Amino acid sequence: MTSQPTLTKAGNGPEGPGGPGDPGSGLQAGLKNRHLSMIAIGGVIGAGLFVGSSSGIATAGPGILLSYALVGTLVVLVMRMLGEMSAANPTSGSFSAHADRALGRWAGFSIGWLYWFFWVVVLAVEATAGAKILEGWVPAVPQWGWALIVMVVLTATNLVSVGSYGEFEFWFAGIKVVAIGAFIIIGGLAVFGVLPGVDSDKAGLGNLTDHGGFLPNGPGAILTGVLLVVFSFMGSEIATLAAGESEDPQRAVTKSTNSIIWRIGVFYLGSIFVVVTLLPWDDKSIADQGSYVAALDSLGIAHAGQIMNFIVLTSVLSCLNSGLYTASRMAFSLGERGDAPKVFAKTTSRGVPMAAIVSSVVFGFVAVFFNYKFPDSVFLFLVNSSGAVALFVWLVICFSQLRMRKIIQAEAPEKLVVKMWLYPYLTWATAALIVFVLGYMLTDTEHDGRETVLLSLLVAGVVLAIAFAKEKLGSKGEVAQTGAATPASVEARD
């Protein structure tokens, strides 16, 4: 087992493993404050919000607002815990590095590799989604060709420098934020009947209760809705990984943590509220066109479908960009801690972990290939087996924070600039809620919840077995090395 974890600074900044100022010595502070601010804001707006909300509305009706509120509260609490640890020790490994210190090498190894696996599968999912939209616009290029082009362009962006990633993400996230902000304002004005030139006969607050009530399918539908929307929140933690390459990591983490409440409240609850008040929840157009397209269409906005396709494409590119960045930084951190090939921890003179990026995108390409060749077998297994990783990550963050708080208080109490509310009671309550959601998923056969949890547990079990085997072999190696280095001990035994 590992020794008592400490708060020694991880060598993942400009002063990293190779020494201060040396070319290729580690990651560099190439992200500006405006980059981090937009990454934090855009990180909570995934493509899943636009394309995945229809099924949630069909399942829970207007009560889907409670599902989003419940998951949003969960994310706020988890991010508060992660913010506490990351503000005290900003690192590219984020929760994996914290788990390493707080729970042991096995925890950091396992959750780090599971998270990396999650994002390389996401790369394939998002590349395919973006390729479908682009093929619709330019059918001369086949779908696989668009997927290849998108992956190559964003890989090149990430390979140039962290600043180029930040700049691309600043504009991608900016478009998402402006688009959803405009949607909320325009839709809100229409709901209250004050939007000039628009007479939407279906819009109104009455849509919340007039079509079978606020919970037309019963209170249980709220929990089913939770299962359908929980994974659209994955990505909130990206800001804490990126903070390690920012000009002022502690300030960046603190700011993103403190603003998570209004970001989720505005972008998720605000936009979904507009959707379910613009149209009755059981309106056929929501299922046929998608919730946001149907909402725009109801206002008579021309080319609503193409407008939404552009916004979704932007979200897809943003998710791809951030996914590749996140997977590579996790691989870098694992390499730096000896839990991945050491080459992953090597950087170029621009502070870019080239091997970590290339290996992540290669696995992404392999997953894209499986999506085209074996969509209903191999690729479906990959998607389902990574589906519950978000909940595993959040659970590990809870247990890490329970122990890390004591470590910080003992070693560097001045670093507790962000504190989890009502510690430790709210942390335990959050962990219990995550376990409850995982348990409820095991009862869900209609939306593949059971299969997702079981396959994800299978993959997690394999990774855990590797982690414990690696730790045991490492311990034996240390003992053997120590014994060989002390001949006196041999004489004593003789």
PDB file of all heavy atoms in Angstrom, residues 157-185:
ATOM      1  N   THR A 157      -4.550  21.051 -33.826  1.00  0.00           N
ATOM      2  CA  THR A 157      -4.730  22.202 -32.923  1.00  0.00           C
ATOM      3  C   THR A 157      -4.131  21.917 -31.560  1.00  0.00           C
ATOM      4  O   THR A 157      -3.422  22.748 -30.986  1.00  0.00           O
ATOM      5  CB  THR A 157      -6.238  22.518 -32.765  1.00  0.00           C
ATOM      6  OG1 THR A 157      -6.787  22.832 -34.042  1.00  0.00           O
ATOM      7  CG2 THR A 157      -6.443  23.683 -31.829  1.00  0.00           C
ATOM      8  N   ASN A 158      -4.405  20.747 -31.013  1.00  0.00           N
ATOM      9  CA  ASN A 158      -3.891  20.397 -29.691  1.00  0.00           C
ATOM     10  C   ASN A 158      -2.383  20.195 -29.692  1.00  0.00           C
ATOM     11  O   ASN A 158      -1.726  20.407 -28.673  1.00  0.00           O
ATOM     12  CB  ASN A 158      -4.584  19.133 -29.175  1.00  0.00           C
ATOM     13  CG  ASN A 158      -5.909  19.415 -28.483  1.00  0.00           C
ATOM     14  OD1 ASN A 158      -5.989  19.534 -27.269  1.00  0.00           O
ATOM     15  ND2 ASN A 158      -6.965  19.543 -29.279  1.00  0.00           N
ATOM     16  N   LEU A 159      -1.828  19.766 -30.847  1.00  0.00           N
ATOM     17  CA  LEU A 159      -0.392  19.522 -30.918  1.00  0.00           C
ATOM     18  C   LEU A 159       0.420  20.813 -31.008  1.00  0.00           C
ATOM     19  O   LEU A 159       1.602  20.824 -30.667  1.00  0.00           O
ATOM     20  CB  LEU A 159      -0.068  18.629 -32.125  1.00  0.00           C
ATOM     21  CG  LEU A 159      -0.396  17.141 -31.980  1.00  0.00           C
ATOM     22  CD1 LEU A 159      -0.188  16.424 -33.310  1.00  0.00           C
ATOM     23  CD2 LEU A 159       0.474  16.499 -30.897  1.00  0.00           C
ATOM     24  N   VAL A 160      -0.191  21.893 -31.476  1.00  0.00           N
ATOM     25  CA  VAL A 160       0.545  23.157 -31.623  1.00  0.00           C
ATOM     26  C   VAL A 160       0.945  23.703 -30.258  1.00  0.00           C
ATOM     27  O   VAL A 160       2.115  23.927 -29.964  1.00  0.00           O
ATOM     28  CB  VAL A 160      -0.296  24.196 -32.396  1.00  0.00           C
ATOM     29  CG1 VAL A 160       0.394  25.552 -32.374  1.00  0.00           C
ATOM     30  CG2 VAL A 160      -0.508  23.720 -33.830  1.00  0.00           C
ATOM     31  N   SER A 161      -0.042  23.929 -29.398  1.00  0.00           N
ATOM     32  CA  SER A 161       0.219  24.437 -28.049  1.00  0.00           C
ATOM     33  C   SER A 161      -1.078  24.422 -27.270  1.00  0.00           C
ATOM     34  O   SER A 161      -2.167  24.340 -27.844  1.00  0.00           O
ATOM     35  CB  SER A 161       0.776  25.870 -28.096  1.00  0.00           C
ATOM     36  OG  SER A 161      -0.236  26.781 -28.518  1.00  0.00           O
ATOM     37  N   VAL A 162      -0.952  24.513 -25.952  1.00  0.00           N
ATOM     38  CA  VAL A 162      -2.158  24.567 -25.125  1.00  0.00           C
ATOM     39  C   VAL A 162      -2.923  25.860 -25.387  1.00  0.00           C
ATOM     40  O   VAL A 162      -4.150  25.926 -25.261  1.00  0.00           O
ATOM     41  CB  VAL A 162      -1.806  24.425 -23.626  1.00  0.00           C
ATOM     42  CG1 VAL A 162      -1.027  25.642 -23.118  1.00  0.00           C
ATOM     43  CG2 VAL A 162      -3.070  24.249 -22.789  1.00  0.00           C
ATOM     44  N   GLY A 163      -2.181  26.901 -25.797  1.00  0.00           N
ATOM     45  CA  GLY A 163      -2.837  28.169 -26.106  1.00  0.00           C
ATOM     46  C   GLY A 163      -3.767  28.058 -27.300  1.00  0.00           C
ATOM     47  O   GLY A 163      -4.840  28.666 -27.334  1.00  0.00           O
ATOM     48  N   SER A 164      -3.366  27.244 -28.301  1.00  0.00           N
ATOM     49  CA  SER A 164      -4.224  27.077 -29.484  1.00  0.00           C
ATOM     50  C   SER A 164      -5.479  26.300 -29.112  1.00  0.00           C
ATOM     51  O   SER A 164      -6.569  26.588 -29.618  1.00  0.00           O
ATOM     52  CB  SER A 164      -3.469  26.376 -30.606  1.00  0.00           C
ATOM     53  OG  SER A 164      -3.073  25.079 -30.229  1.00  0.00           O
ATOM     54  N   TYR A 165      -5.332  25.301 -28.218  1.00  0.00           N
ATOM     55  CA  TYR A 165      -6.525  24.601 -27.715  1.00  0.00           C
ATOM     56  C   TYR A 165      -7.442  25.592 -27.013  1.00  0.00           C
ATOM     57  O   TYR A 165      -8.652  25.616 -27.251  1.00  0.00           O
ATOM     58  CB  TYR A 165      -6.138  23.488 -26.725  1.00  0.00           C
ATOM     59  CG  TYR A 165      -7.238  23.192 -25.741  1.00  0.00           C
ATOM     60  CD1 TYR A 165      -8.385  22.499 -26.130  1.00  0.00           C
ATOM     61  CD2 TYR A 165      -7.169  23.650 -24.413  1.00  0.00           C
ATOM     62  CE1 TYR A 165      -9.420  22.263 -25.224  1.00  0.00           C
ATOM     63  CE2 TYR A 165      -8.195  23.420 -23.520  1.00  0.00           C
ATOM     64  CZ  TYR A 165      -9.322  22.723 -23.935  1.00  0.00           C
ATOM     65  OH  TYR A 165     -10.345  22.509 -23.048  1.00  0.00           O
ATOM     66  N   GLY A 166      -6.851  26.426 -26.156  1.00  0.00           N
ATOM     67  CA  GLY A 166      -7.648  27.400 -25.409  1.00  0.00           C
ATOM     68  C   GLY A 166      -8.355  28.390 -26.316  1.00  0.00           C
ATOM     69  O   GLY A 166      -9.510  28.757 -26.072  1.00  0.00           O
ATOM     70  N   GLU A 167      -7.676  28.798 -27.393  1.00  0.00           N
ATOM     71  CA  GLU A 167      -8.274  29.776 -28.310  1.00  0.00           C
ATOM     72  C   GLU A 167      -9.444  29.156 -29.074  1.00  0.00           C
ATOM     73  O   GLU A 167     -10.508  29.778 -29.221  1.00  0.00           O
ATOM     74  CB  GLU A 167      -7.216  30.279 -29.287  1.00  0.00           C
ATOM     75  CG  GLU A 167      -7.578  31.590 -29.968  1.00  0.00           C
ATOM     76  CD  GLU A 167      -7.726  32.754 -28.992  1.00  0.00           C
ATOM     77  OE1 GLU A 167      -6.990  32.788 -27.985  1.00  0.00           O
ATOM     78  OE2 GLU A 167      -8.598  33.628 -29.233  1.00  0.00           O
ATOM     79  N   PHE A 168      -9.255  27.926 -29.567  1.00  0.00           N
ATOM     80  CA  PHE A 168     -10.347  27.246 -30.261  1.00  0.00           C
ATOM     81  C   PHE A 168     -11.531  27.042 -29.318  1.00  0.00           C
ATOM     82  O   PHE A 168     -12.681  27.285 -29.679  1.00  0.00           O
ATOM     83  CB  PHE A 168      -9.871  25.888 -30.799  1.00  0.00           C
ATOM     84  CG  PHE A 168      -9.391  25.929 -32.220  1.00  0.00           C
ATOM     85  CD1 PHE A 168      -8.201  26.570 -32.548  1.00  0.00           C
ATOM     86  CD2 PHE A 168     -10.127  25.347 -33.237  1.00  0.00           C
ATOM     87  CE1 PHE A 168      -7.751  26.626 -33.856  1.00  0.00           C
ATOM     88  CE2 PHE A 168      -9.686  25.390 -34.561  1.00  0.00           C
ATOM     89  CZ  PHE A 168      -8.499  26.036 -34.871  1.00  0.00           C
ATOM     90  N   GLU A 169     -11.236  26.616 -28.106  1.00  0.00           N
ATOM     91  CA  GLU A 169     -12.313  26.342 -27.160  1.00  0.00           C
ATOM     92  C   GLU A 169     -13.013  27.634 -26.733  1.00  0.00           C
ATOM     93  O   GLU A 169     -14.217  27.640 -26.459  1.00  0.00           O
ATOM     94  CB  GLU A 169     -11.757  25.612 -25.925  1.00  0.00           C
ATOM     95  CG  GLU A 169     -12.818  25.046 -24.998  1.00  0.00           C
ATOM     96  CD  GLU A 169     -13.773  24.092 -25.712  1.00  0.00           C
ATOM     97  OE1 GLU A 169     -13.401  23.495 -26.739  1.00  0.00           O
ATOM     98  OE2 GLU A 169     -14.905  23.962 -25.230  1.00  0.00           O
ATOM     99  N   PHE A 170     -12.268  28.724 -26.693  1.00  0.00           N
ATOM    100  CA  PHE A 170     -12.862  30.020 -26.338  1.00  0.00           C
ATOM    101  C   PHE A 170     -13.965  30.378 -27.328  1.00  0.00           C
ATOM    102  O   PHE A 170     -15.062  30.801 -26.944  1.00  0.00           O
ATOM    103  CB  PHE A 170     -11.769  31.093 -26.345  1.00  0.00           C
ATOM    104  CG  PHE A 170     -12.284  32.483 -26.086  1.00  0.00           C
ATOM    105  CD1 PHE A 170     -12.529  32.928 -24.799  1.00  0.00           C
ATOM    106  CD2 PHE A 170     -12.542  33.357 -27.148  1.00  0.00           C
ATOM    107  CE1 PHE A 170     -13.011  34.214 -24.559  1.00  0.00           C
ATOM    108  CE2 PHE A 170     -13.016  34.635 -26.935  1.00  0.00           C
ATOM    109  CZ  PHE A 170     -13.252  35.064 -25.623  1.00  0.00           C
ATOM    110  N   TRP A 171     -13.682  30.180 -28.637  1.00  0.00           N
ATOM    111  CA  TRP A 171     -14.668  30.539 -29.655  1.00  0.00           C
ATOM    112  C   TRP A 171     -15.778  29.508 -29.768  1.00  0.00           C
ATOM    113  O   TRP A 171     -16.945  29.855 -29.938  1.00  0.00           O
ATOM    114  CB  TRP A 171     -13.969  30.751 -30.999  1.00  0.00           C
ATOM    115  CG  TRP A 171     -13.107  31.976 -30.979  1.00  0.00           C
ATOM    116  CD1 TRP A 171     -11.750  32.034 -30.914  1.00  0.00           C
ATOM    117  CD2 TRP A 171     -13.560  33.333 -30.956  1.00  0.00           C
ATOM    118  NE1 TRP A 171     -11.314  33.337 -30.867  1.00  0.00           N
ATOM    119  CE2 TRP A 171     -12.407  34.163 -30.888  1.00  0.00           C
ATOM    120  CE3 TRP A 171     -14.819  33.942 -30.986  1.00  0.00           C
ATOM    121  CZ2 TRP A 171     -12.479  35.537 -30.855  1.00  0.00           C
ATOM    122  CZ3 TRP A 171     -14.884  35.328 -30.966  1.00  0.00           C
ATOM    123  CH2 TRP A 171     -13.743  36.105 -30.894  1.00  0.00           C
ATOM    124  N   PHE A 172     -15.429  28.221 -29.665  1.00  0.00           N
ATOM    125  CA  PHE A 172     -16.469  27.189 -29.689  1.00  0.00           C
ATOM    126  C   PHE A 172     -17.452  27.395 -28.536  1.00  0.00           C
ATOM    127  O   PHE A 172     -18.671  27.392 -28.712  1.00  0.00           O
ATOM    128  CB  PHE A 172     -15.848  25.786 -29.567  1.00  0.00           C
ATOM    129  CG  PHE A 172     -15.171  25.304 -30.801  1.00  0.00           C
ATOM    130  CD1 PHE A 172     -14.120  24.392 -30.738  1.00  0.00           C
ATOM    131  CD2 PHE A 172     -15.585  25.719 -32.065  1.00  0.00           C
ATOM    132  CE1 PHE A 172     -13.486  23.926 -31.880  1.00  0.00           C
ATOM    133  CE2 PHE A 172     -14.963  25.264 -33.218  1.00  0.00           C
ATOM    134  CZ  PHE A 172     -13.913  24.368 -33.122  1.00  0.00           C
ATOM    135  N   ALA A 173     -16.910  27.548 -27.335  1.00  0.00           N
ATOM    136  CA  ALA A 173     -17.757  27.736 -26.160  1.00  0.00           C
ATOM    137  C   ALA A 173     -18.516  29.051 -26.247  1.00  0.00           C
ATOM    138  O   ALA A 173     -19.675  29.145 -25.822  1.00  0.00           O
ATOM    139  CB  ALA A 173     -16.900  27.696 -24.887  1.00  0.00           C
ATOM    140  N   GLY A 174     -17.857  30.072 -26.804  1.00  0.00           N
ATOM    141  CA  GLY A 174     -18.521  31.371 -26.935  1.00  0.00           C
ATOM    142  C   GLY A 174     -19.765  31.287 -27.808  1.00  0.00           C
ATOM    143  O   GLY A 174     -20.805  31.876 -27.484  1.00  0.00           O
ATOM    144  N   ILE A 175     -19.665  30.551 -28.919  1.00  0.00           N
ATOM    145  CA  ILE A 175     -20.834  30.383 -29.802  1.00  0.00           C
ATOM    146  C   ILE A 175     -21.953  29.661 -29.063  1.00  0.00           C
ATOM    147  O   ILE A 175     -23.131  30.039 -29.152  1.00  0.00           O
ATOM    148  CB  ILE A 175     -20.431  29.606 -31.074  1.00  0.00           C
ATOM    149  CG1 ILE A 175     -19.493  30.460 -31.938  1.00  0.00           C
ATOM    150  CG2 ILE A 175     -21.667  29.210 -31.887  1.00  0.00           C
ATOM    151  CD1 ILE A 175     -18.868  29.724 -33.100  1.00  0.00           C
ATOM    152  N   LYS A 176     -21.599  28.604 -28.300  1.00  0.00           N
ATOM    153  CA  LYS A 176     -22.612  27.874 -27.534  1.00  0.00           C
ATOM    154  C   LYS A 176     -23.304  28.778 -26.533  1.00  0.00           C
ATOM    155  O   LYS A 176     -24.534  28.767 -26.396  1.00  0.00           O
ATOM    156  CB  LYS A 176     -21.975  26.697 -26.780  1.00  0.00           C
ATOM    157  CG  LYS A 176     -21.560  25.529 -27.631  1.00  0.00           C
ATOM    158  CD  LYS A 176     -21.226  24.317 -26.779  1.00  0.00           C
ATOM    159  CE  LYS A 176     -20.009  24.546 -25.907  1.00  0.00           C
ATOM    160  NZ  LYS A 176     -19.608  23.334 -25.170  1.00  0.00           N
ATOM    161  N   VAL A 177     -22.519  29.547 -25.821  1.00  0.00           N
ATOM    162  CA  VAL A 177     -23.064  30.421 -24.768  1.00  0.00           C
ATOM    163  C   VAL A 177     -23.986  31.483 -25.366  1.00  0.00           C
ATOM    164  O   VAL A 177     -25.090  31.716 -24.862  1.00  0.00           O
ATOM    165  CB  VAL A 177     -21.915  31.081 -23.982  1.00  0.00           C
ATOM    166  CG1 VAL A 177     -22.456  32.179 -23.065  1.00  0.00           C
ATOM    167  CG2 VAL A 177     -21.172  30.040 -23.160  1.00  0.00           C
ATOM    168  N   VAL A 178     -23.537  32.117 -26.443  1.00  0.00           N
ATOM    169  CA  VAL A 178     -24.358  33.152 -27.089  1.00  0.00           C
ATOM    170  C   VAL A 178     -25.648  32.545 -27.634  1.00  0.00           C
ATOM    171  O   VAL A 178     -26.743  33.108 -27.468  1.00  0.00           O
ATOM    172  CB  VAL A 178     -23.567  33.844 -28.220  1.00  0.00           C
ATOM    173  CG1 VAL A 178     -24.487  34.733 -29.056  1.00  0.00           C
ATOM    174  CG2 VAL A 178     -22.417  34.663 -27.642  1.00  0.00           C
ATOM    175  N   ALA A 179     -25.537  31.373 -28.275  1.00  0.00           N
ATOM    176  CA  ALA A 179     -26.699  30.732 -28.881  1.00  0.00           C
ATOM    177  C   ALA A 179     -27.742  30.353 -27.837  1.00  0.00           C
ATOM    178  O   ALA A 179     -28.935  30.637 -27.998  1.00  0.00           O
ATOM    179  CB  ALA A 179     -26.271  29.499 -29.668  1.00  0.00           C
ATOM    180  N   ILE A 180     -27.303  29.727 -26.769  1.00  0.00           N
ATOM    181  CA  ILE A 180     -28.266  29.287 -25.764  1.00  0.00           C
ATOM    182  C   ILE A 180     -28.804  30.468 -24.976  1.00  0.00           C
ATOM    183  O   ILE A 180     -29.965  30.478 -24.545  1.00  0.00           O
ATOM    184  CB  ILE A 180     -27.639  28.213 -24.835  1.00  0.00           C
ATOM    185  CG1 ILE A 180     -28.750  27.364 -24.204  1.00  0.00           C
ATOM    186  CG2 ILE A 180     -26.783  28.814 -23.762  1.00  0.00           C
ATOM    187  CD1 ILE A 180     -28.240  26.083 -23.578  1.00  0.00           C
ATOM    188  N   GLY A 181     -27.983  31.501 -24.806  1.00  0.00           N
ATOM    189  CA  GLY A 181     -28.463  32.717 -24.156  1.00  0.00           C
ATOM    190  C   GLY A 181     -29.549  33.395 -24.977  1.00  0.00           C
ATOM    191  O   GLY A 181     -30.581  33.823 -24.445  1.00  0.00           O
ATOM    192  N   ALA A 182     -29.324  33.473 -26.303  1.00  0.00           N
ATOM    193  CA  ALA A 182     -30.325  34.064 -27.191  1.00  0.00           C
ATOM    194  C   ALA A 182     -31.602  33.232 -27.200  1.00  0.00           C
ATOM    195  O   ALA A 182     -32.720  33.774 -27.202  1.00  0.00           O
ATOM    196  CB  ALA A 182     -29.762  34.171 -28.609  1.00  0.00           C
ATOM    197  N   PHE A 183     -31.455  31.899 -27.175  1.00  0.00           N
ATOM    198  CA  PHE A 183     -32.611  31.004 -27.154  1.00  0.00           C
ATOM    199  C   PHE A 183     -33.454  31.255 -25.901  1.00  0.00           C
ATOM    200  O   PHE A 183     -34.694  31.335 -25.968  1.00  0.00           O
ATOM    201  CB  PHE A 183     -32.131  29.552 -27.179  1.00  0.00           C
ATOM    202  CG  PHE A 183     -33.240  28.544 -27.031  1.00  0.00           C
ATOM    203  CD1 PHE A 183     -34.030  28.189 -28.112  1.00  0.00           C
ATOM    204  CD2 PHE A 183     -33.485  27.943 -25.801  1.00  0.00           C
ATOM    205  CE1 PHE A 183     -35.053  27.257 -27.976  1.00  0.00           C
ATOM    206  CE2 PHE A 183     -34.505  27.017 -25.655  1.00  0.00           C
ATOM    207  CZ  PHE A 183     -35.290  26.673 -26.740  1.00  0.00           C
ATOM    208  N   ILE A 184     -32.806  31.405 -24.759  1.00  0.00           N
ATOM    209  CA  ILE A 184     -33.532  31.623 -23.495  1.00  0.00           C
ATOM    210  C   ILE A 184     -34.263  32.965 -23.516  1.00  0.00           C
ATOM    211  O   ILE A 184     -35.429  33.066 -23.118  1.00  0.00           O
ATOM    212  CB  ILE A 184     -32.556  31.545 -22.301  1.00  0.00           C
ATOM    213  CG1 ILE A 184     -32.051  30.112 -22.133  1.00  0.00           C
ATOM    214  CG2 ILE A 184     -33.242  32.014 -21.017  1.00  0.00           C
ATOM    215  CD1 ILE A 184     -30.934  29.971 -21.119  1.00  0.00           C
ATOM    216  N   ILE A 185     -33.584  33.995 -24.001  1.00  0.00           N
ATOM    217  CA  ILE A 185     -34.199  35.336 -24.018  1.00  0.00           C
ATOM    218  C   ILE A 185     -35.386  35.382 -24.983  1.00  0.00           C
ATOM    219  O   ILE A 185     -36.486  35.821 -24.624  1.00  0.00           O
ATOM    220  CB  ILE A 185     -33.144  36.397 -24.409  1.00  0.00           C
ATOM    221  CG1 ILE A 185     -32.096  36.520 -23.296  1.00  0.00           C
ATOM    222  CG2 ILE A 185     -33.821  37.745 -24.658  1.00  0.00           C
ATOM    223  CD1 ILE A 185     -30.905  37.384 -23.670  1.00  0.00           C
TER     224      ILE A 185
END
